[in-house]
Amino acid sequence: QQQQQQQGQPDLSNFDKDMIFSGLKRMYKKKILPVERMSQFTKFGTSAMSASDFAAKPMVLLLGQYSVGKTSFIRYLLGRDFPGIRIGPEPTTDRFVSIMHG
């Protein structure tokens, strides 16, 4: 925690995650789901989100040209280096890399 605060990262341990997740579920059901139904989104996209979708670990995809800071951004979020990290001015990551916690 002290290392995160020294690096200018906020301490997120005091946030009520359950309250945030329930708010996201309510927002989806109230604002997004009606638009998906009206536009018949499920005919050309994925099915409507279920409770298990909200309970699952989130996945984030970072895309971009080489040397724009994707790896540095992940390193900043983690607050440390991770296995396979290579940062340089030329293309250094020529494959998809999956990083998981826990």
Side-chain angles (χ1 to χ4, degrees):
Q1 264 183 348
Q2 287 178 348
Q3 182 184 10
Q4 283 181 338
Q5 289 174 350
Q6 289 173 356
Q7 293 178 351
Q9 295 176 352
D11 178 15
L12 301 177
S13 62
N14 295 325
F15 281 94
D16 186 351
K17 294 166 188 70
D18 292 330
M19 184 179 78
I20 293 169
F21 292 143
S22 65
L24 287 172
K25 286 182 210 177
R26 279 194 315 275
M27 184 184 303
Y28 173 76
K29 287 179 182 177
K30 185 176 180 179
K31 301 287 184 179
I32 298 171
L33 187 57
V35 174
E36 287 182 355
R37 288 182 176 151
M38 183 180 69
S39 66
Q40 298 181 359
F41 178 74
T42 58
K43 290 190 177 189
F44 60 89
T46 59
S47 59
M49 293 181 72
S50 66
S52 62
D53 291 318
F54 288 98
K57 290 183 179 183
M59 291 187 283
V60 178
L61 175 66
L62 296 176
L63 296 173
Q65 296 290 332
Y66 70 87
S67 240
V68 295
K70 297 177 298 294
T71 302
S72 296
F73 178 67
I74 294 169
R75 183 177 174 217
Y76 171 79
L77 290 176
L78 295 175
R80 61 180 175 84
D81 288 347
F82 55 90
I85 187 173
R86 293 182 306 178
I87 298 175
E90 69 287 332
T92 55
T93 309
D94 59 355
R95 65 195 183 289
F96 288 102
V97 177
S98 177
I99 302 170
M100 300 176 75
H101 174 72

